[in-house]
Amino acid sequence: MIGLFLTLICFSGFVYASIHWLKIKLSYAPLFSISSIGVLLFFFSIFNQLQKGTFFLIFSGFVLCLLWIPLYLKKKREKSLLPVSRVLIFFLILIIISFILTHNMTFTVVDDYVYWGIIGKYLHINNHLPIAGCALDPRILAYTPGTSLIHYFFYFLMGKYSVHISYFAQNIILISALFVVVDRENIKRSVVYIGILVILMTVFFGSGFTKLQVDYLLSITCFSIFWIYYNEKNIHLKLLTLSMPLCFLFLIKEIGFMLGLMIVAVIALDVLADK
Protein backbone atom coordinates (compact mmCIF):
# COMPACT_ATOMS: atom_id res chain seq x y z
CA MET A 1 0.00 0.00 0.00
CA ILE A 2 2.98 2.31 0.48
CA GLY A 3 3.70 2.00 -3.24
CA LEU A 4 0.12 2.96 -4.06
CA PHE A 5 0.36 5.99 -1.76
CA LEU A 6 3.62 7.13 -3.37
CA THR A 7 2.09 6.67 -6.82
CA LEU A 8 -0.92 8.82 -5.98
CA ILE A 9 1.26 11.59 -4.55
CA CYS A 10 3.75 11.67 -7.42
CA PHE A 11 1.25 11.36 -10.24
CA SER A 12 -1.13 13.94 -8.74
CA GLY A 13 1.74 16.44 -8.86
CA PHE A 14 2.02 16.12 -12.65
CA VAL A 15 -1.76 16.30 -13.04
CA TYR A 16 -1.84 19.47 -10.94
CA ALA A 17 0.89 21.09 -13.05
CA SER A 18 -1.00 20.25 -16.26
CA ILE A 19 -4.19 21.80 -14.93
CA HIS A 20 -2.81 24.82 -13.10
CA TRP A 21 -0.02 25.98 -15.42
CA LEU A 22 -0.99 24.62 -18.82
CA LYS A 23 -4.76 25.08 -18.30
CA ILE A 24 -5.51 21.55 -19.50
CA LYS A 25 -8.93 20.22 -18.49
CA LEU A 26 -9.00 17.93 -15.49
CA SER A 27 -10.38 14.99 -17.47
CA TYR A 28 -7.54 15.29 -20.02
CA ALA A 29 -4.73 16.00 -17.53
CA PRO A 30 -4.01 12.35 -16.50
CA LEU A 31 -3.48 11.25 -20.13
CA PHE A 32 -1.32 14.30 -20.85
CA SER A 33 0.70 13.63 -17.68
CA ILE A 34 1.40 9.92 -18.20
CA SER A 35 2.20 10.57 -21.87
CA SER A 36 4.63 13.32 -20.89
CA ILE A 37 6.37 10.97 -18.47
CA GLY A 38 6.77 8.32 -21.20
CA VAL A 39 8.10 10.79 -23.77
CA LEU A 40 10.55 12.40 -21.33
CA LEU A 41 11.83 9.00 -20.20
CA PHE A 42 12.42 8.08 -23.83
CA PHE A 43 14.59 11.16 -24.35
CA PHE A 44 16.45 10.51 -21.10
CA SER A 45 17.12 6.93 -22.25
CA ILE A 46 18.41 8.12 -25.63
CA PHE A 47 21.05 10.20 -23.84
CA ASN A 48 21.80 7.29 -21.46
CA GLN A 49 20.45 9.20 -18.47
CA LEU A 50 17.43 7.04 -17.72
CA GLN A 51 18.11 6.51 -14.02
CA LYS A 52 18.91 10.17 -13.30
CA GLY A 53 16.03 11.35 -15.45
CA THR A 54 13.56 9.06 -13.68
CA PHE A 55 14.76 10.28 -10.28
CA PHE A 56 14.32 13.88 -11.48
CA LEU A 57 10.75 13.21 -12.67
CA ILE A 58 9.76 11.45 -9.44
CA PHE A 59 11.28 14.22 -7.33
CA SER A 60 9.47 16.80 -9.48
CA GLY A 61 6.17 14.97 -8.99
CA PHE A 62 6.49 15.10 -5.21
CA VAL A 63 7.47 18.78 -5.25
CA LEU A 64 4.55 19.66 -7.53
CA CYS A 65 2.18 17.79 -5.21
CA LEU A 66 3.46 19.77 -2.22
CA LEU A 67 2.76 22.98 -4.16
CA TRP A 68 -0.73 21.77 -5.02
CA ILE A 69 -1.95 20.76 -1.56
CA PRO A 70 -2.14 24.29 0.00
CA LEU A 71 -3.94 25.65 -3.08
CA TYR A 72 -6.40 22.75 -3.04
CA LEU A 73 -7.17 23.19 0.67
CA LYS A 74 -7.69 26.94 0.19
CA LYS A 75 -10.17 26.46 -2.66
CA LYS A 76 -11.88 23.66 -0.76
CA ARG A 77 -12.57 26.07 2.12
CA GLU A 78 -14.02 28.47 -0.42
CA LYS A 79 -16.29 25.62 -1.67
CA SER A 80 -15.18 26.24 -5.25
CA LEU A 81 -13.78 22.76 -5.81
CA LEU A 82 -16.82 20.53 -5.28
CA PRO A 83 -17.04 19.22 -8.91
CA VAL A 84 -13.25 18.90 -9.07
CA SER A 85 -13.18 16.99 -5.79
CA ARG A 86 -15.70 14.47 -7.09
CA VAL A 87 -13.65 13.92 -10.24
CA LEU A 88 -10.43 13.48 -8.27
CA ILE A 89 -12.07 11.02 -5.90
CA PHE A 90 -13.40 9.06 -8.88
CA PHE A 91 -9.90 8.96 -10.42
CA LEU A 92 -8.36 7.80 -7.13
CA ILE A 93 -10.99 5.07 -6.78
CA LEU A 94 -10.16 3.75 -10.26
CA ILE A 95 -6.43 3.64 -9.43
CA ILE A 96 -7.03 1.91 -6.10
CA ILE A 97 -9.29 -0.69 -7.76
CA SER A 98 -6.63 -1.27 -10.41
CA PHE A 99 -3.96 -1.71 -7.72
CA ILE A 100 -6.09 -4.30 -5.90
CA LEU A 101 -6.99 -6.21 -9.10
CA THR A 102 -3.36 -6.49 -10.18
CA HIS A 103 -2.06 -7.64 -6.80
CA ASN A 104 -0.09 -10.91 -6.97
CA MET A 105 -0.72 -11.27 -10.70
CA THR A 106 1.61 -13.23 -12.96
CA PHE A 107 1.93 -13.23 -16.73
CA THR A 108 -0.99 -15.18 -18.19
CA VAL A 109 -0.06 -15.20 -21.88
CA VAL A 110 3.21 -15.77 -23.69
CA ASP A 111 3.14 -13.80 -26.91
CA ASP A 112 4.69 -10.73 -28.48
CA TYR A 113 3.09 -8.32 -26.04
CA VAL A 114 4.71 -9.82 -22.93
CA TYR A 115 7.98 -8.46 -24.34
CA TRP A 116 7.27 -5.07 -22.77
CA GLY A 117 7.32 -6.75 -19.37
CA ILE A 118 10.67 -8.36 -20.22
CA ILE A 119 12.14 -5.07 -21.43
CA GLY A 120 10.83 -3.41 -18.27
CA LYS A 121 12.72 -5.93 -16.13
CA TYR A 122 15.85 -5.37 -18.24
CA LEU A 123 15.52 -1.62 -17.66
CA HIS A 124 15.15 -2.17 -13.91
CA ILE A 125 18.32 -4.25 -13.75
CA ASN A 126 20.52 -2.27 -16.16
CA ASN A 127 19.03 1.26 -16.10
CA HIS A 128 19.35 1.68 -19.86
CA LEU A 129 17.61 0.51 -23.02
CA PRO A 130 18.57 -2.92 -24.43
CA ILE A 131 21.62 -2.81 -26.66
CA ALA A 132 22.92 -5.07 -29.41
CA GLY A 133 24.60 -8.17 -28.04
CA CYS A 134 22.58 -8.32 -24.81
CA ALA A 135 21.03 -11.56 -23.61
CA LEU A 136 17.50 -10.69 -24.75
CA ASP A 137 15.82 -12.43 -27.66
CA PRO A 138 16.47 -10.52 -30.94
CA ARG A 139 12.71 -10.30 -31.48
CA ILE A 140 12.43 -8.26 -28.29
CA LEU A 141 15.09 -5.82 -29.49
CA ALA A 142 13.00 -5.18 -32.61
CA TYR A 143 10.27 -3.56 -30.52
CA THR A 144 10.00 0.07 -29.45
CA PRO A 145 10.56 0.65 -25.70
CA GLY A 146 6.86 1.49 -25.46
CA THR A 147 5.12 0.98 -22.17
CA SER A 148 8.20 -0.60 -20.57
CA LEU A 149 9.44 2.93 -19.83
CA ILE A 150 6.31 3.53 -17.77
CA HIS A 151 6.91 0.18 -16.03
CA TYR A 152 10.44 1.33 -15.19
CA PHE A 153 9.12 4.62 -13.79
CA PHE A 154 6.92 2.76 -11.29
CA TYR A 155 9.62 0.18 -10.50
CA PHE A 156 11.91 3.06 -9.60
CA LEU A 157 9.18 4.82 -7.63
CA MET A 158 8.32 1.72 -5.58
CA GLY A 159 11.93 0.59 -5.28
CA LYS A 160 11.47 -2.93 -6.65
CA TYR A 161 10.52 -5.04 -9.67
CA SER A 162 7.38 -7.15 -9.76
CA VAL A 163 4.89 -8.32 -12.36
CA HIS A 164 2.19 -6.70 -10.23
CA ILE A 165 3.81 -3.29 -10.79
CA SER A 166 4.01 -4.00 -14.53
CA TYR A 167 0.27 -4.58 -14.71
CA PHE A 168 -0.43 -1.62 -12.47
CA ALA A 169 1.65 0.65 -14.72
CA GLN A 170 -0.27 -0.59 -17.77
CA ASN A 171 -3.54 0.16 -16.04
CA ILE A 172 -2.46 3.69 -15.09
CA ILE A 173 -2.07 4.36 -18.82
CA LEU A 174 -5.43 2.71 -19.52
CA ILE A 175 -7.30 4.61 -16.80
CA SER A 176 -5.72 7.91 -17.87
CA ALA A 177 -6.88 7.34 -21.45
CA LEU A 178 -10.37 6.28 -20.37
CA PHE A 179 -10.66 9.32 -18.13
CA VAL A 180 -11.08 11.73 -21.06
CA VAL A 181 -14.80 10.91 -21.17
CA VAL A 182 -15.34 12.08 -17.59
CA ASP A 183 -17.63 15.08 -17.17
CA ARG A 184 -16.93 16.97 -13.96
CA GLU A 185 -20.57 18.08 -13.84
CA ASN A 186 -22.04 14.60 -14.27
CA ILE A 187 -20.07 11.86 -12.52
CA LYS A 188 -22.88 9.29 -12.83
CA ARG A 189 -22.90 9.57 -16.62
CA SER A 190 -19.09 9.42 -16.61
CA VAL A 191 -19.18 6.13 -14.69
CA VAL A 192 -21.54 4.72 -17.34
CA TYR A 193 -19.26 5.88 -20.18
CA ILE A 194 -16.16 4.31 -18.64
CA GLY A 195 -18.08 1.11 -17.89
CA ILE A 196 -19.16 0.85 -21.52
CA LEU A 197 -15.59 1.40 -22.75
CA VAL A 198 -14.20 -1.27 -20.41
CA ILE A 199 -16.87 -3.73 -21.59
CA LEU A 200 -16.03 -3.01 -25.24
CA MET A 201 -12.32 -3.56 -24.60
CA THR A 202 -13.04 -6.78 -22.72
CA VAL A 203 -15.13 -8.06 -25.63
CA PHE A 204 -12.71 -7.11 -28.40
CA PHE A 205 -9.27 -7.38 -26.77
CA GLY A 206 -9.62 -9.76 -23.84
CA SER A 207 -9.43 -8.47 -20.28
CA GLY A 208 -7.50 -5.22 -20.20
CA PHE A 209 -6.83 -5.71 -16.50
CA THR A 210 -5.27 -9.16 -16.70
CA LYS A 211 -3.17 -9.30 -19.87
CA LEU A 212 0.02 -7.36 -20.44
CA GLN A 213 -0.91 -6.39 -24.00
CA VAL A 214 -0.72 -3.03 -25.76
CA ASP A 215 -3.13 -3.23 -28.67
CA TYR A 216 -5.93 -2.04 -26.43
CA LEU A 217 -3.71 0.85 -25.34
CA LEU A 218 -3.21 1.84 -28.98
CA SER A 219 -6.95 1.70 -29.56
CA ILE A 220 -7.99 3.60 -26.45
CA THR A 221 -5.26 6.23 -26.94
CA CYS A 222 -6.42 6.83 -30.51
CA PHE A 223 -9.98 7.09 -29.26
CA SER A 224 -8.89 9.55 -26.55
CA ILE A 225 -7.03 11.72 -29.06
CA PHE A 226 -10.06 11.99 -31.32
CA TRP A 227 -12.33 12.57 -28.32
CA ILE A 228 -10.18 15.49 -27.14
CA TYR A 229 -9.92 16.92 -30.64
CA TYR A 230 -13.68 16.80 -31.13
CA ASN A 231 -14.67 18.18 -27.70
CA GLU A 232 -11.99 20.77 -26.96
CA LYS A 233 -13.04 24.04 -28.60
CA ASN A 234 -9.93 26.17 -28.09
CA ILE A 235 -7.61 25.23 -30.98
CA HIS A 236 -4.38 26.17 -29.17
CA LEU A 237 -5.35 24.30 -26.00
CA LYS A 238 -6.52 21.41 -28.16
CA LEU A 239 -3.16 21.05 -29.92
CA LEU A 240 -1.27 21.44 -26.64
CA THR A 241 -3.34 18.72 -24.97
CA LEU A 242 -2.86 16.36 -27.92
CA SER A 243 0.90 16.93 -28.28
CA MET A 244 2.09 14.48 -25.62
CA PRO A 245 -0.45 11.68 -26.26
CA LEU A 246 0.44 11.80 -29.97
CA CYS A 247 4.16 11.58 -29.22
CA PHE A 248 3.57 8.73 -26.76
CA LEU A 249 1.49 6.92 -29.39
CA PHE A 250 4.63 6.75 -31.53
CA LEU A 251 6.43 4.89 -28.70
CA ILE A 252 3.82 2.31 -27.71
CA LYS A 253 4.33 0.10 -30.74
CA GLU A 254 5.64 0.30 -34.30
CA ILE A 255 2.12 0.48 -35.71
CA GLY A 256 1.52 3.36 -33.31
CA PHE A 257 3.96 5.39 -35.39
CA MET A 258 1.78 4.92 -38.48
CA LEU A 259 -1.39 5.63 -36.50
CA GLY A 260 0.20 8.79 -35.13
CA LEU A 261 1.15 10.00 -38.61
CA MET A 262 -2.37 9.28 -39.83
CA ILE A 263 -3.92 11.24 -36.95
CA VAL A 264 -1.54 14.16 -37.48
CA ALA A 265 -2.49 14.23 -41.17
CA VAL A 266 -6.22 14.16 -40.35
CA ILE A 267 -5.85 16.96 -37.79
CA ALA A 268 -3.74 19.06 -40.16
CA LEU A 269 -6.29 18.69 -42.96
CA ASP A 270 -9.14 19.56 -40.61
CA VAL A 271 -7.36 22.67 -39.31
CA LEU A 272 -6.58 23.84 -42.84
CA ALA A 273 -10.14 23.18 -43.96
CA ASP A 274 -11.49 25.10 -40.98
CA LYS A 275 -9.33 28.10 -41.82
Side-chain angles (χ1 to χ4, degrees):
M1 295 304 291
I2 295 177
L4 174 61
F5 181 69
L6 293 175
T7 299
L8 296 177
I9 292 176
C10 182
F11 194 55
S12 64
F14 291 106
V15 173
Y16 156 74
S18 302
I19 298 169
H20 185 67
W21 287 324
L22 300 179
K23 307 303 179 185
I24 293 174
K25 289 184 179 179
L26 176 57
S27 55
Y28 305 155
L31 178 61
F32 181 87
S33 300
I34 197 68
S35 300
S36 299
I37 291 172
V39 172
L40 289 173
L41 288 177
F42 177 69
F43 281 107
F44 285 132
S45 63
I46 288 177
F47 295 103
N48 201 27
Q49 298 295 326
L50 182 59
Q51 187 174 26
K52 292 180 181 178
T54 304
F55 175 81
F56 170 76
L57 289 179
I58 292 174
F59 178 77
S60 300
F62 285 119
V63 171
L64 291 170
C65 185
L66 292 176
L67 294 175
W68 169 71
I69 291 174
L71 179 64
Y72 177 81
L73 294 176
K74 178 182 177 181
K75 289 190 175 182
K76 189 176 181 180
R77 286 195 297 269
E78 297 171 355
K79 298 182 179 179
S80 61
L81 272 180
L82 185 58
V84 175
S85 297
R86 286 200 295 260
V87 173
L88 288 174
I89 291 171
F90 182 40
F91 185 68
L92 295 180
I93 289 173
L94 289 175
I95 291 181
I96 292 170
I97 291 174
S98 171
F99 187 85
I100 294 172
L101 288 175
T102 56
H103 189 64
N104 291 329
M105 276 188 174
T106 57
F107 293 134
T108 57
V109 288
V110 181
D111 57 21
D112 292 347
Y113 306 114
V114 178
Y115 290 163
W116 277 269
I118 298 172
I119 296 175
K121 186 172 184 178
Y122 180 94
L123 293 174
H124 175 71
I125 295 172
N126 298 284
N127 296 303
H128 60 74
L129 289 175
I131 56 177
C134 69
L136 295 181
D137 190 299
R139 291 175 296 174
I140 299 176
L141 300 179
Y143 279 79
T144 58
T147 57
S148 61
L149 290 169
I150 303 298
H151 300 177
Y152 176 81
F153 179 83
F154 287 102
Y155 297 152
F156 199 100
L157 176 61
M158 299 186 191
K160 63 178 181 179
Y161 165 84
S162 77
V163 176
H164 159 57
I165 298 175
S166 300
Y167 283 116
F168 182 55
Q170 293 279 122
N171 289 342
I172 292 291
I173 304 172
L174 173 62
I175 292 170
S176 298
L178 289 172
F179 209 69
V180 300
V181 303
V182 170
D183 182 359
R184 59 187 288 180
E185 304 297 336
N186 196 329
I187 294 298
K188 291 183 179 179
R189 185 172 63 184
S190 301
V191 172
V192 173
Y193 282 169
I194 288 184
I196 292 172
L197 289 174
V198 170
I199 291 172
L200 289 174
M201 285 190 299
T202 302
V203 170
F204 291 107
F205 300 108
S207 176
F209 289 100
T210 59
K211 292 182 180 179
L212 191 62
Q213 297 185 353
V214 295
D215 278 358
Y216 68 88
L217 288 181
L218 285 174
S219 301
I220 196 63
T221 303
C222 288
F223 166 80
S224 301
I225 288 171
F226 281 115
W227 179 279
I228 294 170
Y229 188 78
Y230 178 77
N231 289 281
E232 177 58 59
K233 304 307 179 184
N234 185 307
I235 184 64
H236 300 292
L237 190 57
K238 179 186 299 187
L239 296 178
L240 173 63
T241 306
L242 292 177
S243 60
M244 288 297 107
L246 270 172
C247 290
F248 187 60
L249 190 65
F250 291 136
L251 299 178
I252 294 178
K253 197 178 179 184
E254 286 87 343
I255 194 175
F257 183 78
M258 299 305 298
L259 286 172
L261 289 178
M262 181 195 71
I263 293 173
V264 169
V266 170
I267 290 175
L269 290 173
D270 184 64
V271 171
L272 291 174
D274 186 59
K275 287 184 177 181

